[in-house]
Amino acid sequence: MARQQKFPIPTVDKEIPYDKDGFIQWCVRESGLTDATAKKYAADVKTAYLTVFEENNLFEDIEEAFTTMSMDEFPEDWRQIVTKDSLLVDKLADIEDAYELLLDHIYELDAIDEYGDIYIETSTGEEVSLPKKEWLRAFRAYANYIRWRINDISSRVSFPRLPFAKEEFVSIPLSGQFSQYLKSLHKKQSPEWKPRDSRRKNSYQGESGTYSWISRLTKLYNNILITKIPSRVLTHLDWLLRNKKCFWSDKDKERLFNCIDYARKGNDYKDISENDYSSGRRALELYFDFMKAYSEDPDRYQPEPKIRKR
């Protein structure tokens, strides 16, 4: 008997993800996956996308970025000069923008359960845990496929190759406790929330689909801040705060904020957007407030036990 698929793929007319067959072939050829596993990655990308990101044009935007003029649109004498490769090179800026948008979706998916486990209902009525790790793995593989395509285009004109997406990010210290602090400031979305499309039974029912403070701060932390903070603080922050031995001076705070501002001004990190900088900077301000509150009452901000809904 075939194993039941827990997360059915919603029916849609458009291709999701963009260039699915190319992605599957790349997974087999470049990553050494079996054909069945590669097809599951493509299916997981589709299911995760349709479950988590409602009314979203991510893959249409990626397809548009890769779409060039048809050779038939050029005069006959131009067809000896213009090639498909040259047209793609001209669209590299648009393709890079689409790739960064794809990375933003990965950051959002990575932060989706920051307030606890999320359970979704399958088409059979079964309640199951959202398979975040599986969906992230598939989305990251797809991002690396798009990065590979960009590098392939770039190599034809000797542009520098850029690195693939990171497999995962290091969590900020006391991330669970910081989540509880933020939860005390911002009420969680009503459990009565329903997706706008009532036909979709396995739709995400956690926080809204906006980027969280933690995901923005995690992005800045991994790229900018992690080398600017003493390792003893990163390793022993809980003990330091409980014993009131880690109070940041205004000078320390200003130094970290300046690091963010310098990176932002210099455009040092291409995959960090303006929203990442502004929201991440605000999240860091909240993190300083959290550390002060945590040192006064650490028990108040311990993560709640994860209890499965019935």
Side-chain angles (χ1 to χ4, degrees), residues 203-305:
S203 185
Y204 166 49
Q205 297 185 32
E207 298 301 307
S208 62
T210 57
Y211 301 113
S212 69
W213 295 118
I214 288 185
S215 64
R216 300 287 192 180
L217 181 55
T218 300
K219 200 170 187 180
L220 298 187
Y221 174 68
N222 278 265
N223 287 285
I224 302 172
L225 302 177
I226 196 168
T227 60
K228 313 298 182 184
I229 304 172
S231 58
R232 66 178 180 83
V233 173
L234 302 180
T235 307
H236 305 293
L237 184 60
D238 181 62
W239 182 87
L240 291 169
L241 290 175
R242 287 176 180 271
N243 289 275
K244 297 180 171 53
K245 295 182 179 292
C246 184
F247 290 100
W248 294 75
S249 68
D250 290 339
K251 186 176 181 179
D252 292 328
K253 296 178 184 179
E254 183 180 2
R255 180 175 59 84
L256 293 183
F257 286 124
N258 284 340
C259 290
I260 295 173
D261 293 340
Y262 289 148
R264 184 180 193 174
K265 185 177 180 179
N267 196 24
D268 295 339
Y269 301 92
K270 302 299 183 182
D271 63 338
I272 301 182
S273 67
E274 280 297 309
N275 284 337
D276 290 330
Y277 278 118
S278 57
S279 296
R281 200 179 192 284
R282 173 56 182 153
L284 183 58
E285 294 175 357
L286 291 171
Y287 194 79
F288 281 122
D289 294 340
F290 154 70
M291 286 193 290
K292 181 178 180 180
Y294 188 82
S295 68
E296 295 172 353
D297 187 5
D299 292 338
R300 179 182 178 185
Y301 302 107
Q302 295 308 310
E304 298 175 353

Side-chain angles (χ1 to χ4, degrees), residues 104-120:
D104 281 343
H105 282 68
I106 293 176
Y107 288 123
E108 183 171 357
L109 180 59
D110 194 22
I112 200 171
D113 59 351
E114 67 182 46
Y115 291 125
D117 288 343
I118 294 171
Y119 293 89
I120 57 178

